Amino acid sequence: MDGGQLVTGLPVLSIITWSPFVAALVIMAAARHRPLLVRWTAAVGAGIPLALAVWLCVAYDRGAAGFQFVERLPLVPSFGIAYELAIDGMGLVLVLLTAIILFAGVFASWTVKTRGQEFYALLLLLVTGVFGVFVSFDLFVFFLFYEIAVLPMYLLIGIWGSSGEVRPQGIFGWAFNRTGVGTKEYAAMKLTLYLLLGSAFILVGILALYTAAGSTSFSYFALQQAQFSPRLQWWVFLAFYIGFGVLAGIWPLHTWSPDGHASAPTAVSMLHAGVLMKLGAYGVVRLGLDLVPLGAIEWAWLVGAIACINIVYGALSAMAQTDLKYVVAYSSVSHMGIVMLGIATLTEQGLNGAVFQMVAHGIMTGLFFALVGLVYEKAHSRAIFTMGGFGTMMPGIATAFAIGGFSSLGLPATAGFVAEFLTFVGAWASAHQWWLFPAVIGAFLTSIYVLRVVRAIFWGPKSADPHFQNLPDARGTEWVALVFLAGVLVLFGVVPWIIVAPIDTATVPLLTRLGIAP
């Protein structure tokens, strides 16, 4: 066994991964027609991973290199397939992020009444796949978990999603109407087809490595020791970048993302933008940078250039939107550009900034979608410029939105500031310093659309529309997601080392493998 891998007696990673799945089975088997029991079973299924993820953060040895909490169990020895789980600093913070968003998402969905049993079961199944991706180190099992994380989205959006309020207009309006553009069914199908296309590229990359290594194992650690030719690494990194990049929302393969975000129900939007898009960026780092480092170095210019397009294009698109959910959706495209830019810098600061941005954006966008869901539930509208003066009626929601907005535009003492600062320093230290300028322009544009939305909805003149009078603030369980997520954003912004320290234990060995002195 590699000296850098620590095996513990308690299968804590398995418990984190499978407890949502067990909760889903309990919901389907025992909680039929008992909505309150369904909700509390889901809450327990989300609470166990959260408690264990916090315990992992405390127990994780920041002074030890390599992977910790390793679990191994042969599944199909003749094909070299094993149930192999482990975690390093990057996986640790992403597991914590997933647990936080899941817990908040369950409470943000407390008012779901339509087929709540199936809704919570699919939600928990989806998160089982996400946890599995972040802790799996057998690439065959990794791919299975990846598919489990992606496929429930089709049903969650197609059944519990919402269709756009504004029908397509213009010379192509008839075509859009005929194909169902703007409907939840269209968004669900588009998302599924895009992500399945990405999965095909990922599978090709994995099989190429498995075959070229001449190995009888899909183990990540075995493939990590193999010697691949520069040409193979060149092609396989490109396959991983396209495959995972679809899920990460890279331009121009991002178009499934805004429609999917806008059509999904609140908790699914939170998980979708908060966690699922991070699977794409995680895959590029974990498989792309670590298994085919020469390909990563060769293609860094392309990854960085497209990331810059993402940042500016996403911000400009967000400025043009009048639907509140689409603003958040396009802002995610822009913020994921910052993640990919940090990866492309191939510097310690940039990689730390990229992983920190995955966490910061995940929590921030989870908070935004929870708030959008609350505003829509109370005002029955997402049209930004028809609303106004909501801050006096719902001060709690307005405060939480402001905290999320400040993090989005990178205000100090929020998680967003730390992530952007590290990424910008990494861009300046990289071989392509010009990347810094579109990144700064994107941050400036972000401040414009965030402040415009906050002013229009919450602090601008009060709307004269009689439907927007005497709207209630958050109440009861609605406060859980808001207070929890806003508090975490500020905590990670004020005490960033609790996230940066474990991330650093993963990025420094990665840069060493790339042959780049950190």
Side-chain angles (χ1 to χ4, degrees):
M1 179 179 295
D2 191 302
Q5 299 173 19
L6 303 180
V7 182
T8 62
L10 182 67
V12 63
L13 297 181
S14 288
I15 299 173
I16 288 176
T17 302
W18 293 107
S19 53
F21 181 75
V22 172
L25 291 179
V26 171
I27 286 173
M28 291 305 294
R32 185 171 293 278
H33 308 309
R34 300 179 66 183
L36 192 58
L37 181 60
V38 167
R39 293 170 193 149
W40 280 111
T41 304
V44 171
I48 292 172
L50 178 60
L52 289 176
V54 173
W55 180 84
L56 270 182
C57 291
V58 176
Y60 183 79
D61 185 354
R62 290 168 170 74
F67 296 86
Q68 303 181 27
F69 305 98
V70 178
E71 302 172 27
R72 288 195 182 93
L73 178 67
L75 290 180
V76 188
S78 56
F79 289 98
I81 299 171
Y83 177 77
E84 189 168 29
L85 307 186
I87 202 167
D88 64 352
M90 181 168 59
L92 176 73
V93 298
L94 293 175
V95 165
L96 178 64
L97 166 69
T98 306
I100 290 172
I101 297 298
L102 172 62
F103 188 74
V106 167
F107 283 94
S109 307
W110 212 254
T111 55
V112 169
K113 294 182 175 62
T114 305
R115 303 174 68 177
Q117 183 185 22
E118 291 87 349
F119 174 83
Y120 277 113
L122 283 170
L123 192 70
L124 293 165
L125 176 64
L126 182 156
V127 175
T128 301
V130 176
F131 279 132
V133 170
F134 287 143
V135 300
S136 288
F137 283 85
D138 180 284
L139 297 193
F140 188 87
V141 177
F142 172 97
F143 187 75
L144 290 182
F145 276 123
Y146 186 87
E147 294 299 303
I148 290 173
V150 168
L151 293 179
M153 294 295 295
Y154 177 78
L155 295 174
L156 285 165
I157 295 176
I159 296 174
W160 290 275
S162 58
S163 299
E165 297 176 358
V166 180
R167 303 299 302 159
Q169 302 292 326
I171 57 175
F172 296 112
W174 66 270
F176 291 156
N177 283 313
R178 292 278 295 178
T179 53
V181 173
T183 65
K184 60 184 182 182
E185 294 82 5
Y186 168 83
M189 182 59 74
K190 184 177 183 180
L191 176 148
T192 305
L193 292 177
Y194 265 73
L195 300 190
L196 286 178
L197 174 67
S199 298
F201 278 91
I202 296 168
L203 184 60
V204 167
I206 291 174
L207 292 177
L209 292 184
Y210 178 79
T211 306
S215 167
T216 55
S217 171
F218 279 94
S219 170
Y220 171 88
F221 302 113
L223 294 174
Q224 200 180 32
Q225 302 302 318
Q227 298 294 321
F228 300 115
S229 70
R231 186 168 184 78
L232 179 75
Q233 295 193 42
W234 194 87
W235 282 109
V236 171
F237 180 83
L238 188 61
F240 283 150
Y241 175 60
I242 295 173
F244 288 115
V246 172
L247 189 51
I250 61 170
W251 182 90
L253 304 174
H254 69 286
T255 61
W256 62 270
S257 169
D259 289 328
H261 289 351
S263 299
T266 297
V268 179
S269 295
M270 293 169 68
L271 283 165
H272 189 187
V275 177
L276 251 72
M277 294 183 82
K278 311 304 175 294
L279 292 185
Y282 173 80
V284 172
V285 176
R286 181 65 78 202
L287 270 60
L289 266 63
D290 211 359
L291 294 184
V292 284
L294 294 180
I297 294 171
E298 287 292 321
W299 284 110
W301 66 271
L302 178 69
V303 177
I306 290 180
C308 290
I309 296 174
N310 261 70
I311 293 169
V312 176
Y313 168 83
L316 287 172
S317 299
M319 288 179 64
Q321 304 305 311
T322 58
D323 184 313
L324 184 55
K325 234 178 178 182
Y326 270 99
V327 173
V328 182
Y330 275 105
S331 78
S332 292
V333 174
S334 179
H335 283 100
M336 285 305 296
I338 294 175
V339 173
M340 299 306 290
L341 179 63
I343 295 171
T345 63
L346 301 180
T347 64
E348 182 181 2
Q349 299 93 337
L351 280 173
N352 286 351
V355 181
F356 204 114
Q357 176 72 350
M358 291 187 211
V359 177
H361 175 254
I363 297 169
M364 176 177 66
T365 199
L367 176 61
F368 272 139
F369 279 119
L371 289 164
V372 172
L374 281 177
V375 169
Y376 184 78
E377 190 175 308
K378 297 173 189 304
H380 302 291
S381 175
R382 299 191 321 232
I384 297 169
F385 299 106
T386 64
M387 299 184 275
F390 284 13
T392 57
M393 295 178 284
M394 43 179 77
I397 291 176
T399 303
F401 202 100
I403 292 173
F406 292 153
S407 182
S408 180
L409 59 89
L411 199 72
T414 63
F417 169 78
V418 181
E420 291 190 7
F421 177 78
L422 288 172
T423 306
F424 290 176
V425 171
W428 186 252
S430 73
H432 304 275
Q433 292 182 337
W434 67 269
W435 286 345
L436 182 62
F437 298 104
V440 171
I441 291 171
F444 174 71
L445 295 175
T446 300
S447 66
I448 293 175
Y449 70 74
V450 166
L451 294 176
R452 187 181 65 155
V453 167
V454 170
R455 181 184 180 280
I457 297 178
F458 296 104
W459 305 120
K462 191 173 182 179
S463 171
D465 191 322
H467 295 100
F468 298 149
Q469 310 301 316
N470 302 316
L471 298 175
D473 204 351
R475 52 194 171 193
T477 54
E478 293 172 349
W479 284 111
V480 175
L482 308 193
V483 174
F484 185 44
L485 295 176
V488 172
L489 271 184
V490 175
L491 174 67
F492 289 169
V494 175
V495 199
W497 65 266
I498 58 177
I499 292 295
V500 173
I503 293 173
D504 210 46
T505 65
T507 54
V508 170
L510 184 59
L511 286 169
T512 303
R513 180 166 167 75
L514 285 163
I516 299 169

